[in-house]
Amino acid sequence: MVLKELQEAVRAVGQTPVLWIPGIVAGLLGAVLWILLNLSGTFFAGRLVIIAGLVMVLFVAGTFGLVKKNETGAGMIVREGARYYFRVLLPWLVIFFVLMLVFVVITVVTLLLTGGSTDYEAAGLLAVFVMIPSLFLTFFCDTAAVYEDLRVFASLRRSIGIVASHTWDVLGFFVTCCVISFLDCFVFAIIWEGLLFDKLEPLTHYNETQFAAVSPQLLVTMIGPDGMWVTAAVIFLGVVFLVPLLLAFKACFYRNMIGSPTATVQQVTGEFDSKGRWYKY
């Protein structure tokens, strides 16, 4: 089932140029975030993450709406995005706040059980065990909201129900998404290393101890300002290719999971008379 939807997603992205718009927007936001992180630190970058997330909701909803209606117009992605914006955003906000509440409860319980000394590592581990199944079950709340015009809690219930009934297919979907993401990162990491080989060449002479001590900050220092802009360009390209494919893949996968609605056949009791006329009871 998964490979069929992946082929449909590749074909949709290849034949519908408008589906590249979310990737371009996400790539630009990712590149700007990288540059801002290096120039201004985490203060402004953290706020940009929130703004970027709110902007991307528009294009995520628009992509699902385009695939649902099989449209190709650039204006349609904005109209569909605006129409379903809050139906996509609100379920994820509910999930976020519920997971934060779970983390706080786990932290408080750990605090009480340990007599005042909080083991944040243990609390975080317990929270992860709760978060992963929760995100797994509710992952399709946004597609359910768009494809079936559902509101917040109805879309969450629908996602849980359809994931529970297609567990192995959904697992295959996640594995495929991980493979696609890994290949995308791997290819563009090779391109990045090739473009900055002269600046990264000293790393080839490091021993195991020195190499283990290499930090992201050291890499940023090694590549310098020019390398920062090259990295931003590579991030942009990597995201441009990855985001449209994953969004189209998710939309096609959900569409095929729910299938097309079948008409309900009502059984009527009756009989034919001698002239062939039907009388129902």
Side-chain angles (χ1 to χ4, degrees), residues 179-193 234:
V179 171
I180 294 172
S181 301
F182 173 79
L183 291 175
D184 182 80
C185 293
F186 181 75
V187 169
F188 283 96
I190 292 177
I191 295 174
W192 178 75
E193 290 178 3
V234 172

Side-chain angles (χ1 to χ4, degrees), residues 145-168:
V146 174
Y147 268 82
E148 304 183 61
D149 290 315
L150 300 177
R151 297 187 181 276
V152 179
F153 294 104
S155 64
L156 291 170
R157 289 194 299 269
R158 177 59 170 159
S159 176
I160 294 172
I162 202 160
V163 171
S165 60
H166 296 81
T167 303
W168 290 109

Side-chain angles (χ1 to χ4, degrees), residues 87-159:
R87 293 203 180 189
V88 170
L89 175 63
L90 293 179
W92 285 113
L93 287 179
V94 170
I95 294 168
F96 174 77
F97 285 114
V98 168
L99 292 179
M100 290 302 100
L101 179 61
V102 169
F103 180 76
V104 171
V105 170
I106 290 175
T107 303
V108 172
V109 171
T110 305
L111 182 66
L112 294 175
L113 293 177
T114 56
S117 59
T118 305
D119 187 349
Y120 290 102
E121 184 177 350
L125 190 61
L126 287 173
V128 167
F129 278 118
V130 175
M131 290 179 181
I132 290 178
S134 301
L135 291 174
F136 178 77
L137 290 171
T138 58
F139 184 73
F140 292 97
C141 61
D142 47 8
T143 40
V146 174
Y147 268 82
E148 304 183 61
D149 290 315
L150 300 177
R151 297 187 181 276
V152 179
F153 294 104
S155 64
L156 291 170
R157 289 194 299 269
R158 177 59 170 159
S159 176

Side-chain angles (χ1 to χ4, degrees), residues 48-259:
L48 180 61
V49 169
I50 298 174
I51 297 173
L54 294 175
V55 170
M56 283 307 301
V57 170
L58 176 71
F59 293 97
V60 169
T63 298
F64 293 157
L66 281 180
V67 177
K68 172 187 175 182
K69 295 185 175 181
N70 198 25
E71 296 283 350
T72 59
M76 182 64 70
I77 194 171
V78 177
R79 288 194 292 271
E80 291 295 301
R83 177 184 179 186
Y84 292 107
Y85 184 88
F86 288 102
R87 293 203 180 189
V88 170
L89 175 63
L90 293 179
W92 285 113
L93 287 179
V94 170
I95 294 168
F96 174 77
F97 285 114
V98 168
L99 292 179
M100 290 302 100
L101 179 61
V102 169
F103 180 76
V104 171
V105 170
I106 290 175
T107 303
V108 172
V109 171
T110 305
L111 182 66
L112 294 175
L113 293 177
T114 56
S117 59
T118 305
D119 187 349
Y120 290 102
E121 184 177 350
L125 190 61
L126 287 173
V128 167
F129 278 118
V130 175
M131 290 179 181
I132 290 178
S134 301
L135 291 174
F136 178 77
L137 290 171
T138 58
F139 184 73
F140 292 97
C141 61
D142 47 8
T143 40
V146 174
Y147 268 82
E148 304 183 61
D149 290 315
L150 300 177
R151 297 187 181 276
V152 179
F153 294 104
S155 64
L156 291 170
R157 289 194 299 269
R158 177 59 170 159
S159 176
I160 294 172
I162 202 160
V163 171
S165 60
H166 296 81
T167 303
W168 290 109
D169 291 331
V170 175
L171 282 173
F173 169 81
F174 278 112
V175 170
T176 305
C177 287
C178 289
V179 171
I180 294 172
S181 301
F182 173 79
L183 291 175
D184 182 80
C185 293
F186 181 75
V187 169
F188 283 96
I190 292 177
I191 295 174
W192 178 75
E193 290 178 3
L195 293 173
L196 299 175
F197 179 78
D198 293 340
K199 296 180 182 294
L200 298 174
E201 193 270 339
L203 291 175
T204 61
H205 303 294
Y206 280 16
N207 56 38
E208 292 183 4
T209 304
Q210 291 174 315
F211 197 79
V214 174
S215 64
Q217 187 59 43
L218 177 60
L219 288 176
V220 172
T221 303
M222 292 179 66
I223 64 177
D226 294 340
M228 180 187 71
W229 291 101
V230 171
T231 304
V234 172
I235 290 173
F236 170 76
L237 292 175
V239 174
V240 163
F241 282 95
L242 182 63
V243 168
L245 181 57
L246 291 184
L247 289 179
F249 184 30
K250 184 177 182 180
C252 293
F253 182 78
Y254 186 83
R255 179 183 61 195
N256 289 356
M257 270 203 305
I258 62 175

